[in-house]
Amino acid sequence: MKYYIKTFGCQMNVYDSQRIARILQNMGHSPADTPAGADLIIFNTCHIREKAAEKLFSDLGRINLIKEERKAAGLETIIGVVGCVVQAEDEEIAKRAPFVNFATGPLTYYRIPEILQKIARDKNICIIDTDFPAESKFDHLPENRSEGSCSYLAVQEGCNNFCTYCIVPYTRGVETSRPVEEVLKEARRLVETGTLEINLLGQNVNAYHGEDNTGKERDLAYLLRRLAEIDGLKRLRYTTSYPADVNDDLIACHRDLKKLMPYLHLPLQSGSDKILKAMNRRHDRNQYLEIIGRLKDANPEIGFSSDFIVGFPGETDEDFADTLDMVEKVGYIQAFSFKYSRRPGTPAAVYPDQIPEKIKAERLNILQEKLFSMQLSFNKECIGKIMPVLFESKGRKKGQLFGRTPYMQNLHAQTDGAGLNQILPVRITGATVNSLSGTVIQQ
Ligand code: SAH
Ligand code: SF4
Ligand code: F3S
């Protein structure tokens, strides 16, 4: 069969989609360029905000039209849904999209081969699997290989934090960590097959507590130090971190490990102590600023990014002003910001004092204007500097390469075509909010 996978949501979903593609390739299937050319279409879904989930249903409607058109041409199409929406809305899927052949949650997609066998025997069945299995999915996945020079590697999954707005603990389940040796093995294999940069993933990655060979629990700092020893691996990153779980040794890694990039995504969500408490975040403004200060002491070059939610229930103008104040104090080089979205089943969905849509939109505008202008000034400050860039793909224009600076900035450079999958020094010549341009310095 030809398969087509469409991915929504976070980096963990991107990683899962790559693993699904590997499962399918091992079964002898190959990728299609378009959904219309695919016998198997899989949607890997996200449930983080209402819009994300709603979009799935409109996209599924469009895919069903393709299924119908293919049917008229005598072709069968299997449609599958995986990811976080399945865990939260399995009944909705069965009701609103009865043409879906299977749906399986983010922890059980390793069962896709069995599912496809069942469907091969009976085309009319609909299989829905929302199990939280006792065993680790990683024990059942085929060996991972590089897709290019930058790879994600999931080391931790699930979350025990239960922020009151967040659906993730309900869709990805409780927190689990992969054993140290298993992670090291996957990392070595990725490096052998072309990876130069590894981005360690987890919903709360710095809660990592995997066992080593002696059964001792190890933290993320230990894992980073072991990974940094791998010859041929040039860059390390990790995401997403939870501020209250940043420990001393993790901070020390930012001082000691040259391979660890000077960039950290450390979501603050809100700058108001009252709102942080209502969100059930285990840190306040001062604790967050203290962690930032210690990280800067460990590595003065470090840059920070964050996620923000505006319009959480009960957020007043003063609370919002506190968020703007924290943005100013920390000086983020990048950030993502969202309007609070009610997620059914989470505590905050039924809090009183829900904020009107109009106010959420106003606050988001004000915050984003500030964040974008800070991002632009950081990018502009880079003009004239020489930065090492890992070129991970070809750009749209002929001879153009796309890469990332140590700060995760997007960079485009015009070259004679050489330089793909290499880290090269680049003189920065131009900057916009979202990207840099530059010229490779001939060595
Ligand atoms: N585990 C990560 C990120 C989880 S989701 C963390 O703890 O930071 C990514 C971001 O989506 C969150 O950081 C948060 O800013 C946003 N988010 C989560 N739930 C949301 C909701 N109900 N409404 C709006 N934004 C939300
Ligand atoms: Fe969600 Fe909070 Fe866990 Fe992040 S830390 S995944 S926001 S519950
Ligand atoms: Fe979305 Fe699930 Fe990731 S809800 S953000 S795909 S963990």
Side-chain angles (χ1 to χ4, degrees):
M1 286 196 293
K2 290 264 188 194
Y3 65 84
Y4 185 88
I5 306 175
K6 186 164 165 66
T7 310
F8 303 82
C10 62
Q11 291 112 324
M12 191 72 102
N13 262 12
V14 174
Y15 175 83
D16 286 337
S17 288
Q18 288 170 350
R19 304 305 304 262
I20 292 169
R22 186 69 56 201
I23 293 174
L24 295 172
Q25 283 161 27
N26 285 356
M27 293 175 76
H29 307 309
S30 58
D33 295 330
T34 59
D39 311 292
L40 168 63
I41 301 171
I42 295 181
F43 277 49
N44 192 0
T45 62
C46 172
H47 202 245
I48 202 80
R49 282 167 291 273
E50 196 178 346
K51 260 199 193 143
E54 272 311 307
K55 194 168 179 311
L56 167 71
F57 288 106
S58 63
D59 285 357
L60 276 176
R62 268 198 295 278
I63 289 297
N64 190 35
L65 294 179
I66 294 180
K67 183 169 177 159
E68 294 294 327
E69 278 167 22
R70 284 174 50 91
K71 198 172 174 187
L75 298 166
E76 291 281 352
T77 315
I78 299 171
I79 299 180
V81 182
V82 300
C84 289
V85 175
V86 177
Q87 217 55 262
E89 296 204 18
D90 50 329
E91 287 169 15
E92 277 292 291
I93 294 173
K95 209 162 63 196
R96 289 175 66 181
F99 48 83
V100 163
N101 300 85
F102 71 90
T104 168
L107 304 180
T108 44
Y109 62 77
Y110 63 86
R111 296 177 183 160
I112 284 177
E114 290 165 44
I115 291 175
L116 290 177
Q117 274 171 11
K118 282 189 194 149
I119 293 173
R121 285 196 294 270
D122 179 358
K123 292 265 179 316
N124 295 318
I125 51 171
C126 174
I127 300 167
I128 297 204
D129 183 353
T130 53
D131 202 15
F132 279 122
E135 70 237 280
S136 162
K137 73 181 182 193
F138 298 101
D139 294 344
H140 299 273
L141 292 173
E143 194 176 64
N144 206 0
R145 288 175 58 89
S146 285
E147 307 279 333
S149 45
C150 295
S151 296
Y152 290 128
L153 201 177
V155 300
Q156 179 277 342
E157 186 160 19
C159 187
N160 295 350
N161 282 326
F162 290 92
C163 300
T164 53
Y165 50 82
C166 185
I167 198 78
V168 171
Y170 310 92
T171 63
R172 294 267 170 180
V174 293
E175 189 188 292
T176 54
S177 293
R178 297 176 69 188
V180 172
E181 279 310 318
E182 193 181 303
V183 173
L184 292 175
K185 191 169 163 231
E186 186 169 332
R188 285 189 209 107
R189 183 76 187 128
L190 287 170
V191 173
E192 278 163 19
T193 52
T195 292
L196 299 176
E197 172 178 308
I198 290 181
N199 196 339
L200 303 180
L201 297 183
Q203 267 79 43
N204 180 1
V205 71
N206 58 330
Y208 177 83
H209 56 103
E211 282 185 6
D212 70 9
N213 275 347
T214 67
K216 189 172 169 186
E217 276 197 2
R218 300 292 193 165
D219 62 7
L220 183 66
Y222 176 86
L223 193 62
L224 285 167
R225 288 181 194 278
R226 293 292 310 276
L227 286 162
E229 290 165 3
I230 298 177
D231 281 340
L233 180 63
K234 306 286 187 207
R235 288 179 166 191
L236 272 168
R237 304 178 186 275
Y238 60 94
T239 201
T240 298
S241 303
Y242 187 79
D245 290 329
V246 174
N247 65 14
D248 293 347
D249 204 19
L250 189 58
I251 294 175
C253 285
H254 284 275
R255 180 194 63 211
D256 301 338
L257 302 178
K258 290 275 164 295
K259 292 182 183 182
L260 189 57
M261 290 294 100
Y263 169 83
L264 187 60
H265 183 60
L266 195 61
L268 172 62
Q269 312 297 357
S270 165
S272 152
D273 281 344
K274 181 190 95 189
I275 297 295
L276 286 171
K277 200 150 186 260
M279 286 176 162
N280 191 32
R281 301 285 290 182
R282 289 182 280 111
H283 59 86
D284 60 17
R285 286 163 64 91
N286 285 339
Q287 284 161 334
Y288 185 88
L289 286 172
E290 197 225 54
I291 295 161
I292 295 278
R294 288 171 59 212
L295 283 158
K296 278 184 180 162
D297 287 345
N299 180 358
E301 303 292 309
I302 199 165
F304 296 97
S305 75
S306 177
D307 292 340
F308 292 98
I309 296 176
V310 299
F312 185 81
E315 186 187 70
T316 61
D317 285 341
E318 290 73 44
D319 294 321
F320 178 59
D322 283 347
T323 297
L324 296 176
D325 177 58
M326 281 295 274
V327 168
E328 202 74 45
K329 283 200 164 78
V330 177
Y332 293 101
I333 65 168
Q334 267 170 50
F336 304 92
S337 42
F338 315 97
K339 288 187 276 187
Y340 168 69
S341 169
R342 284 167 105 151
R343 309 313 294 125
T346 62
V350 291
Y351 279 2
D353 310 323
Q354 297 285 330
I355 305 296
E357 198 49 37
K358 186 165 166 277
I359 295 183
K360 285 187 202 171
E362 279 167 18
R363 290 183 184 159
L364 188 67
N365 267 339
I366 297 169
L367 176 62
Q368 290 194 332
E369 204 170 294
K370 195 178 191 76
L371 291 169
F372 292 158
S373 89
M374 290 175 99
Q375 192 168 323
L376 180 62
S377 41
F378 178 74
N379 286 352
K380 281 196 165 153
E381 279 164 27
C382 296
I383 294 177
K385 289 189 183 156
I386 295 169
M387 296 173 110
V389 173
L390 170 48
F391 287 108
E392 60 182 69
S393 60
K394 288 186 176 160
R396 253 177 252 138
K397 295 184 197 142
K398 195 168 183 286
Q400 193 187 50
L401 292 180
F402 170 80
R404 302 247 197 200
T405 71
Y407 295 101
M408 278 297 244
Q409 293 150 297
N410 299 328
L411 181 133
H412 291 93
Q414 206 55 41
T415 69
D416 54 9
L420 187 60
N421 298 327
Q422 291 177 37
I423 298 174
L424 297 172
V426 172
R427 186 181 303 280
I428 311 302
T429 53
T432 65
V433 177
N434 291 318
S435 78
L436 301 177
S437 48
T439 349
V440 175
I441 294 177
Q442 298 305 330
Q443 288 162 306

